């Protein structure tokens, strides 16, 4: 059966996504922008082809690991991040389709208001509540998960189901913080039907909101929870089993990938390695253990 023709909006979204990837890569590598090279198939830099594990999702993989050396991605460096100097680097969305109000938002309430009853992607009709994020707007630490589940969709708050309870225990019992001390958000703000994985067009539509949230919060560290969050933020397909436990970089913000709490509910033996990852985060933030 012939594929359904793309709508103008889908085409435009793909072009914007490719342009964003190209601009990020040029910014990271210092290369000059080549307008003629901006298309969905040629936007990835040649260097990416040397990384067997890192196939770009919808953008080029990041090039600057935490120790500042040039590397072709793969397993990120395990160096302790220079939190004091690199944290809070501005992260700006380059999505030209994001409304001016979203780009102009100067705090999280303004951003939430600008997002409104978003219908940028096909998840909108399925949601009960748009799950924006919760926590300290000036948090030093942001947890990023995948997408709302049933409980989160009903409550309008991320990580409130069983997996959320486990995350709360990690924050309160493990890190000795309050849940309201950190910020918690997802890559995708609306629940995918039957909790299926978010699709590329949905990510392209929604990720700019998270990018803007992170730019406003300016955290000192990010913890990416699970395969989807880590691979989406880092633009890689490297398995979470290889990503976890090693610092990497998200637009100048140290990022620690680790397993998702839902995975820990199914595999409680892995709590030990997650605790090791969290202890690295605590060390980097200067939190007492
Ligand atoms: S998932 Fe994101 S882009 Fe899609 S409708 Fe919800 S808020 Fe909008």
């Amino acid at each position: 059966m012939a594929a359904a023709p793309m709508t103008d909006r889908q085409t435009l979204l793909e072009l914007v996504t490719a342009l964003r990837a190209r601009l990020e890569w040029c910014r990271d590598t210092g290369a000059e922008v080549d307008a003629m090279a901006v298309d969905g198939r040629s936007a990835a830099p040649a260097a990416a082809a040397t990384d067997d594990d890192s196939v770009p999702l919808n953008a080029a993989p990041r090039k600057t690991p935490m120790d500042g050396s040039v590397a072709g991605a793969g397993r990120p460096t395990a160096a302790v991040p220079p939190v004091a100097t690199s944290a809070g680097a501005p992260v700006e969305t380059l999505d030209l389709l994001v409304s001016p109000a979203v780009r102009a938002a100067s705090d999280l309430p303004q951003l939430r208001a600008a997002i409104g009853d978003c219908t940028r992607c096909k998840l909108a009709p399925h949601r009960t509540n748009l799950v924006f994020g919760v926590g300290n707007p000036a948090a030093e630490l942001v947890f990023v998960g995948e997408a709302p589940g049933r409980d989160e969709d009903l409550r309008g708050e991320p990580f409130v189901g069983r997996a959320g309870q486990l995350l709360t225990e990690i924050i309160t019992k493990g890190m000795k913080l309050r849940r309201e001390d950190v910020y918690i958000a997802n890559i995708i703000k609306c629940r995918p039907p039957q909790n299926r994985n978010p699709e590329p067009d949905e990510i392209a539509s929604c990720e700019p909101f998270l990018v803007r949230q992170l730019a406003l919060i300016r955290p000192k560290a990010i913890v990416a929870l699970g395969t989807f969050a880590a691979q989406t933020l880092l633009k890689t397909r490297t398995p979470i089993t290889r990503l976890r436990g090693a610092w990497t970089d998200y637009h100048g913000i140290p990022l620690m990938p680790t397993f998702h709490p839902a995975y820990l509910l199914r595999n409680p033996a892995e709590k030990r390695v997650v605790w090791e990852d969290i202890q690295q985060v605590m060390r980097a933030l200067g939190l007492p253990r």
Side-chain angles (χ1 to χ4, degrees):
M1 185 187 299
M6 291 180 69
T7 65
D8 289 347
R9 179 175 171 79
Q10 285 173 320
T11 304
L12 197 52
L13 263 176
E14 286 208 353
L15 283 171
V16 169
T17 300
L19 177 61
R20 180 170 59 179
R22 184 71 182 177
L23 291 172
E24 286 180 357
W25 179 69
C26 291
R27 181 194 60 200
D28 293 346
T29 60
E32 290 186 8
V33 176
D34 175 4
M36 298 304 292
V38 177
D39 95 16
R41 289 155 296 283
S42 63
T50 64
D51 177 16
D52 293 340
D53 293 311
S54 298
V55 180
L57 284 173
N58 55 8
R62 301 204 56 74
K63 292 291 145 202
T64 310
M66 296 303 308
D67 62 2
S69 62
V70 176
R75 185 169 175 82
T77 175
V80 175
V83 169
T85 55
S86 72
V91 180
E92 296 300 337
T93 176
L94 296 173
D95 187 339
L96 303 178
L97 293 183
V98 169
S99 75
V102 167
R103 283 199 298 273
S106 59
D107 57 32
L108 293 179
Q110 280 185 24
L111 178 60
R112 177 63 191 92
I115 293 172
D117 292 327
C118 177
T119 56
R120 274 167 57 92
C121 85
K122 60 185 181 295
L123 293 178
H126 300 282
R127 70 173 177 241
T128 308
N129 286 296
L130 188 153
V131 182
F132 177 68
V134 69
N136 181 353
E140 293 190 344
L141 177 61
V142 174
F143 289 91
V144 177
E146 176 176 333
R150 188 177 68 90
D151 294 321
E152 290 75 18
D153 175 61
L154 292 174
R155 291 262 301 269
E157 184 175 332
F159 284 94
V160 291
R162 285 184 64 222
Q165 288 169 13
L166 182 51
L167 176 62
T168 300
E169 286 183 12
I170 291 170
I171 294 167
T172 57
K173 296 181 180 174
M175 306 184 82
K176 304 287 191 296
L177 295 172
R178 299 171 305 165
R179 191 172 146 106
E180 53 267 37
D181 290 331
V182 303
Y183 197 85
I184 305 171
N186 285 309
I187 302 276
I188 296 286
K189 311 265 181 249
C190 301
R191 182 194 184 198
Q194 285 80 49
N195 291 345
R196 65 157 169 75
N197 286 339
E199 295 175 351
D201 60 313
E202 296 157 1
I203 299 167
S205 296
C206 206
E207 194 182 4
F209 299 150
L210 176 66
V211 169
R212 192 77 192 118
Q213 278 175 299
L214 293 170
L216 292 170
I217 298 169
R218 302 168 69 90
K220 288 184 175 177
I222 297 169
V223 173
L225 297 166
T227 300
F228 183 84
Q231 292 187 341
T232 301
L233 290 173
L234 300 175
K235 310 302 181 200
T236 179
R237 289 198 186 278
T238 302
I240 187 66
T241 48
R242 293 187 57 205
L243 290 171
R244 65 139 290 274
W247 286 106
T248 185
D249 172 85
Y250 178 78
H251 297 278
I253 303 172
L255 184 146
M256 174 62 70
T258 194
F259 292 131
H260 194 284
Y263 174 79
L264 297 183
L265 292 174
R266 299 189 300 272
N267 302 276
E270 300 286 12
K271 288 181 181 176
R272 182 183 54 80
V273 295
V274 169
W275 178 232
E276 290 173 5
D277 302 344
I278 294 296
Q279 285 181 303
Q280 287 200 63
V281 175
M282 293 170 67
R283 269 196 297 276
L285 293 176
L287 296 173
R289 285 180 293 143

